[in-house]
Amino acid sequence: MKRSFYLLAGLLLLAGLLPGCHSGNDGYMRRVEADFFQKRELLPRGDLFRVFDGTMTPQEREAMTFLYAYMPVGDITDYSGDFYLENVREALAAREEMPWGRTVSDELFRHFVLPVRVNNEHLDDARRVFREELKPRVEGLSMYDAVLEVNHWCHEKASYQPSDARTSSPLATVRTAYGRCGEESTLLVAALRSVGIPARQVYTPRWAHTDDNHAWVEAWADGQWYFLGACEPEPVLNLGWFNAPASRGMLMHTKVFGYYDGPEEVMKTTANYTEINVISNYGACAPLTVTVTDAAGDLVEGASVEFKLYNYAEFYTVSRKTTDTRGQASLSAGLGDMLVMAVRDGRFGVRKVSFGKEAEVTLVLDHAIGDEFFFPVDIVPPAENAYLPEVTADQRAENDRRFNREDEIRNAYIATFPAPAAVAEFARSVGMEPDDVGGFIAASRGNHAEIMDFLRRASREGCAGCALQLLATLSAKDLRDAPSAVLADHLYHTDRDADAATVLAPRVGDEMLTPYRSFLQREIPAAMASAFRDDPQHLAAWCRDSLTLRPELCTVSTTISPEGVWRSRTADKRSRAIFFVAAARSLGIPAWIDRVTGNLFYRHDGKDVSVDFDAQGNRELETGRLKLNYAPILRLDDPEYFRHFSLSRFGGQAFSLLNYPDFGKWSALFRAPADLETGYYMLVTGSRLASGSVLGNVSFFNVRPDGMTEADLVMRDNSEAVRVIGSFDSESKFTDAATGLETSVLLTAGRGYFVIGLLGVGQEPTDHALKDIAAKAAELEKWGRSLILLFPDEEAYRKYTASPVAGLPATVAFGIDRDGSVRRRMLDAMQLPGNVALPVFLIGDTFNRVVFESHGYTIGLGDRLLHTIDQL
């Protein structure tokens, strides 16, 4: 009966006979309504749309219809309709009460204010909480100034700290008081939307000139989009430390919720979002069209074309297209180089393309999957061409004053986290050792009350040991945002003798933790559970036969919780794998997803069994052996995974990266033969030069069953060019010798390159080095970057000041490395021994790259520094 009602309502809405469609908006809403009813038809189980049976105003119903039409499945299964309705009402209230509400068009409101989701974060009550706190902060401000003010508020709440790829919710980021760029930008977008300001998260999937990536925010004010660094307030918009790097970017994306037909270039349209390319907001760009042909020269329709950017020793796919009837796929990108690979029906082609130099290229599918070959490739990123808006001295001084005050506010909050003495007292009160619990509580930061409640109850229940084992399986981010109730669900619904890593552990992949264990134990019928325990292949078969895969409805990088999968009987491949492990663990069956390969396993009768949902019955995982031979080049005796080389395995349609531990040594991974799943592999190596260019090499080879494969790990070198030779943490802390305050290399030098030196006071090599630097003071001052000179202690600094070297550049900053941490990091960066002769000098940058190193006695250090600097 309800089905018939919805179908009738859909027809009436499409005909415009029900309220909810506004003048000028009818055509768009007809598409929304059609997408909504299609979504409802595809998700018939779990009563997931019951909120629409309730009372709503026409505006609320239209907004809810839009949200449900484009939500990923997990957002529908894992959050209540009342949650979204409350968010809709908050968004409509902000639009009504904010003075700029009337200037925000329906299109801007729909796509950039109304949506709850920003990234792959857990959704929370941030909109209501933030609106209450921010409304008085922006009262009386212009829209432009309100954007700046909201960012100052965000800086009070959080600062930058790298972490794993799972995105914390906005409220969790506030509780933690820090987050990576993706979390800071999610926080800022949520905050701006809470006061009715259109906002979107912008990201470069990978930098072109260096490793890693970055995310920031664009906000709409008074008719145009501006960008800003999240939680990094500047005096004006369109200014951040990333102006220069962004001008060298190849792609800048944003995912717009729903179907969007704005003025920007559309990269991709999915059932959940429209991905648009905003590279033209940051640097010069140009289109390029790839025409794919077979070996006979005939056009190939339906080929998968991947545009790949070199980053972390991998050619990372930044855009994936499908060729049209003319065999073509196109992309606009910054004026640099990429690798393009096309695959169709067991054949592929690969070549370098240069945006801005080539407008059209032909890519021939001239290789079969399994062909063994290699080729060198030189990759050049776009040139820097940054625009910096004008900032007056008064604006900068006021912003600095506010910035420092906001640091004080945030630090005062952080000071409320339990100190070591309080942690020790807590541990004693629950009968635990401070050393056993201290690390967990310290890592939990603003979530400490939840972790302490969990441990307190575990002590009362006699489960302290198991509780500590469970906490040890969690990530640091889990400790910062997992509720006590979720952890308790897993602890008290697991056998005390269960293996911690493969049964007790709540985490399966990178999903948000949920209390799935008691839910699945309650919902899975006893007879079914018994059959699954007797033979876990029955569980695999149930997942294959009873779950409907809807990958087209799950295009956002979120997962459907195990509870949501069970209720809806719907999943994507990743959510299905997580569900299998969650269900197995809930029934006491050891199960896991391999971190390197992504393969799914369970343990039965003492054997590790691979799960293949596409196969019937057990599948034996075939393996071979791989040995990579390496001939050392200058200053690189032992290449590192992700920094110098990477491996990817062909999975039928594309190559997938193997996720070995970050920066694992070649000598530990592949100098000796290593077991590897059979298949077709791509090995990428690269030497990153100081200019950002890469000397790369790409090899393709096979790993065969029970066989030995040997391949060359080729690191190309160019002795005439500056290249990256190490990695030094630019956030390393030391004491400012002039003020006595703690600071860091990053705070002292600002974004960009710097020179850092460890001095041996009173030693001849140091005297020579400082005098050589003084001799080149004018040129080094013209360079304009900091030279940070560190002493081991205050006594050494006093000794130096009693007889300082005259004429050092004005850009020199003196510091004291009290605990020796900077020294250790410098020596580790270059793999130098602890007793290395001083002084040690590095040239590095705030992307943590080292491009120059010198230690011990040397003549002409100033000239050597300048020779390198001139090539940067």
Side-chain angles (χ1 to χ4, degrees):
M1 191 70 181
K2 186 180 290 184
R3 175 186 173 96
S4 300
F5 167 78
Y6 277 131
L7 289 174
L8 176 60
L11 293 172
L12 291 173
L13 277 169
L14 292 173
L17 299 177
L18 287 182
C21 297
H22 301 304
S23 175
N25 199 28
D26 293 2
Y28 185 87
M29 283 308 300
R30 288 194 185 96
R31 176 176 181 135
V32 170
E33 289 149 5
D35 290 341
F36 169 80
F37 285 107
Q38 182 184 38
K39 174 79 70 66
R40 189 191 61 75
E41 287 294 305
L42 293 174
L43 299 173
R45 297 188 58 133
D47 199 15
L48 302 176
F49 297 82
R50 60 185 174 272
V51 68
F52 289 91
D53 296 339
T55 302
M56 290 183 250
T57 68
Q59 272 190 312
E60 291 169 354
R61 188 169 295 274
E62 180 180 292
M64 288 287 285
T65 300
F66 172 72
L67 291 179
Y68 270 74
Y70 300 113
M71 285 181 198
V73 174
D75 285 4
I76 298 176
T77 63
D78 295 345
Y79 304 90
S80 72
D82 290 339
F83 167 80
Y84 293 112
L85 184 55
E86 178 62 27
N87 271 273
V88 163
R89 288 168 175 163
E90 288 284 336
L92 292 172
R95 190 182 195 187
E96 182 67 27
E97 67 192 16
M98 293 299 168
W100 45 79
R102 64 184 66 90
T103 71
V104 176
S105 68
D106 286 347
E107 180 184 55
L108 286 169
F109 177 79
R110 180 188 306 120
H111 294 289
F112 303 111
V113 177
L114 179 63
V116 185
R117 177 165 300 288
V118 179
N119 196 298
N120 63 352
E121 76 279 12
H122 173 63
L123 303 183
D124 62 20
D125 198 24
R127 192 186 295 264
R128 179 188 61 79
V129 174
F130 291 176
R131 177 169 162 251
E132 290 176 359
E133 190 164 341
L134 281 168
K135 183 180 176 182
R137 291 278 292 252
V138 300
E139 187 174 1
L141 297 179
S142 68
M143 202 172 185
Y144 182 102
D145 288 338
V147 174
L148 294 171
E149 183 63 30
V150 171
N151 204 22
H152 277 288
W153 177 86
C154 287
H155 181 239
E156 288 179 12
K157 304 300 183 183
S159 62
Y160 176 76
Q161 178 70 24
S163 63
D164 63 43
R166 181 172 67 83
T167 305
S168 293
S169 72
L171 288 178
T173 298
V174 170
R175 284 195 301 272
T176 296
Y178 64 47
R180 59 175 172 79
C181 60
E183 290 162 336
E184 290 182 310
S185 51
T186 296
L187 168 64
L188 178 55
V189 169
L192 289 166
R193 289 178 178 176
S194 76
V195 289
I197 297 175
R200 60 196 188 192
Q201 183 186 59
V202 175
Y203 62 99
T204 178
R206 292 292 189 271
W207 290 120
H209 70 289
T210 190
D211 293 331
D212 220 331
N213 59 4
H214 192 52
W216 57 93
V217 172
E218 287 186 348
W220 187 91
D222 303 322
Q224 70 180 89
W225 288 99
Y226 297 89
F227 69 82
L228 63 163
C231 305
E232 298 172 327
E234 292 284 357
V236 297
L237 299 176
N238 286 348
L239 180 63
W241 65 261
F242 53 89
N243 282 61
S247 74
R248 305 191 70 183
M250 291 288 286
L251 280 178
M252 308 296 173
H253 292 182
T254 187
K255 289 183 171 70
V256 183
F257 187 93
Y259 172 73
Y260 173 72
D261 56 358
E264 301 89 349
E265 177 192 2
V266 173
M267 301 280 297
K268 178 168 50 176
T269 300
T270 77
N272 306 129
Y273 65 86
T274 305
E275 188 172 64
I276 59 174
N277 187 4
V278 293
I279 180 63
S280 60
N281 293 352
Y282 301 92
C285 61
L288 183 143
T289 298
V290 176
T291 301
V292 179
T293 72
D294 60 21
D298 295 328
L299 300 177
V300 178
E301 180 183 359
S304 173
V305 179
E306 294 182 322
F307 293 85
K308 293 173 169 289
L309 195 58
Y310 183 90
N311 191 284
Y312 274 131
E314 172 198 14
F315 279 104
Y316 177 85
T317 300
V318 294
S319 181
R320 182 178 285 107
K321 306 267 189 172
T322 301
T323 53
D324 58 20
T325 56
R326 299 170 296 172
Q328 293 183 338
S330 299
L331 179 70
S332 293
L335 308 184
D337 296 341
M338 288 191 197
L339 205 67
V340 177
M341 180 178 290
V343 180
R344 180 68 196 267
D345 296 334
R347 300 196 64 83
F348 73 102
V350 59
R351 61 162 292 175
K352 184 181 84 169
V353 297
S354 298
F355 287 82
K357 295 180 180 178
E358 301 171 290
E360 297 182 0
V361 299
T362 299
L363 184 55
V364 182
L365 303 183
D366 52 0
H367 294 288
I369 299 300
D371 286 354
E372 298 192 341
F373 66 100
F374 71 91
F375 61 91
V377 58
D378 293 353
I379 299 294
V380 179
E384 184 178 316
N385 186 27
Y387 166 75
L388 298 176
E390 182 178 349
V391 177
T392 68
D394 288 345
Q395 285 176 314
R396 175 57 63 192
E398 174 61 14
N399 195 75
D400 289 347
R401 183 194 67 77
R402 294 197 64 183
F403 198 96
N404 294 334
R405 175 56 183 154
E406 289 149 13
D407 281 341
E408 292 174 358
I409 293 170
R410 188 177 61 258
N411 289 334
Y413 164 67
I414 294 172
T416 67
F417 299 168
V423 173
E425 176 59 30
F426 165 78
R428 285 190 289 269
S429 73
V430 297
M432 298 183 186
E433 292 297 323
D435 288 346
D436 291 339
V437 304
F440 297 129
I441 295 174
S444 67
R445 294 177 65 85
N447 198 44
H448 57 85
E450 297 290 329
I451 300 302
M452 293 167 81
D453 284 348
F454 171 68
L455 291 171
R456 188 178 293 111
R457 180 184 170 188
S459 177
R460 290 197 308 267
E461 301 282 349
C463 297
C466 289
L468 293 173
Q469 285 184 321
L470 186 152
L471 292 179
T473 70
L474 302 181
S475 69
K477 187 168 293 178
D478 292 332
L479 295 170
R480 298 197 295 267
D481 65 8
S484 174
V486 171
L487 303 180
D489 178 86
H490 293 277
L491 179 63
Y492 302 118
H493 292 89
T494 304
D495 189 280
R496 294 193 184 186
D497 296 326
D499 178 68
T502 61
V503 179
L504 174 62
R507 172 156 303 292
V508 179
D510 57 0
E511 76 283 5
M512 182 69 187
L513 297 185
T514 62
Y516 62 75
R517 203 166 302 234
S518 62
F519 175 87
L520 293 176
Q521 289 172 357
R522 182 175 64 251
E523 293 291 326
I524 298 175
M528 187 185 294
S530 178
F532 292 167
R533 291 190 184 100
D534 289 342
D535 184 357
Q537 274 300 323
H538 292 313
L539 173 58
W542 186 92
C543 290
R544 181 185 63 243
D545 299 336
S546 300
L547 299 180
T548 301
L549 292 184
R550 295 289 183 195
E552 76 282 4
L553 302 182
C554 306
T555 58
V556 180
S557 56
T558 58
T559 56
I560 309 170
S561 73
E563 302 98 309
V565 170
W566 179 267
R567 282 192 292 262
S568 67
R569 297 296 200 271
T570 303
D572 56 88
K573 287 186 176 181
R574 184 170 63 156
S575 298
R576 180 175 63 178
I578 290 172
F579 174 83
F580 174 89
V581 174
R585 290 180 181 177
S586 298
L587 300 176
I589 304 166
W592 64 95
I593 298 175
D594 185 86
R595 296 293 185 184
V596 174
T597 64
N599 291 327
L600 185 59
F601 291 91
Y602 65 85
R603 186 171 297 128
H604 186 59
D605 290 338
K607 294 182 179 180
D608 294 348
V609 183
S610 174
V611 176
D612 184 350
F613 292 116
D614 297 324
Q616 298 291 332
N618 293 349
R619 178 176 76 94
E620 291 293 332
L621 190 68
E622 290 187 328
T623 62
R625 308 276 279 169
L626 174 65
K627 179 182 179 183
L628 297 180
N629 300 313
Y630 174 64
I633 63 174
L634 183 65
R635 290 196 180 278
L636 188 56
D637 295 328
D638 200 354
E640 297 175 353
Y641 199 78
F642 287 138
R643 182 164 286 132
H644 303 112
F645 73 102
S646 69
L647 269 176
S648 300
R649 181 178 179 274
F650 189 73
Q653 295 181 326
F655 286 90
S656 297
L657 182 71
L658 301 187
N659 289 300
Y660 286 99
D662 291 358
F663 313 127
K665 300 288 188 180
W666 157 78
S667 60
L669 295 174
F670 294 110
R671 179 161 59 185
D675 289 333
L676 212 62
E677 184 178 1
T678 57
Y680 188 47
Y681 284 86
M682 177 172 64
L683 170 66
V684 175
T685 67
S687 297
R688 176 80 74 174
L689 307 183
S691 65
S693 297
V694 176
L695 303 178
N697 196 76
V698 183
S699 305
F700 297 88
F701 55 82
N702 296 281
V703 174
R704 296 182 172 86
D706 301 319
M708 168 71 76
T709 297
E710 291 195 43
D712 291 331
L713 196 162
V714 178
M715 294 299 304
R716 298 172 58 210
D717 195 15
N718 182 350
S719 59
E720 298 302 314
V722 175
R723 64 180 177 85
V724 178
I725 58 175
S727 178
F728 170 74
D729 185 1
S730 63
E731 296 188 60
S732 298
K733 293 180 170 56
F734 62 90
T735 301
D736 186 305
T739 66
L741 300 176
E742 185 182 71
T743 186
S744 69
V745 174
L746 174 61
L747 290 174
T748 302
R751 296 284 179 176
Y753 283 97
F754 56 86
V755 175
I756 186 167
L758 294 172
L759 305 182
V761 178
Q763 299 173 359
E764 185 174 343
T766 292
D767 291 340
H768 274 290
L770 293 180
K771 289 175 182 177
D772 286 341
I773 289 173
K776 300 294 181 180
E779 293 95 326
L780 291 168
E781 287 177 356
K782 183 178 180 181
W783 180 46
R785 305 299 303 156
S786 294
L787 285 77
I788 301 170
L789 304 180
L790 299 179
F791 301 87
D793 50 44
E794 292 172 335
E795 182 178 354
Y797 175 63
R798 287 194 298 269
K799 182 178 180 180
Y800 169 79
T801 56
S803 181
V805 173
L808 288 174
T811 48
V812 163
F814 292 108
I816 300 168
D817 185 22
R818 294 182 187 275
D819 61 359
S821 61
V822 181
R823 176 191 175 98
R824 288 192 297 273
R825 289 176 177 176
M826 289 178 67
L827 300 186
D828 288 345
M830 302 312 303
Q831 301 181 19
L832 296 173
N835 60 351
V836 65
L838 297 178
V840 177
F841 282 86
L842 305 181
I843 299 178
D845 71 2
T846 48
F847 289 106
N848 297 340
R849 304 177 300 175
V850 177
V851 297
F852 172 90
E853 182 272 326
S854 174
H855 61 268
Y857 184 87
T858 182
I859 301 297
L861 178 65
D863 282 322
R864 293 180 59 202
L865 291 172
L866 288 168
H867 176 74
T868 301
I869 288 167
D870 287 342
Q871 297 181 67
L872 299 179

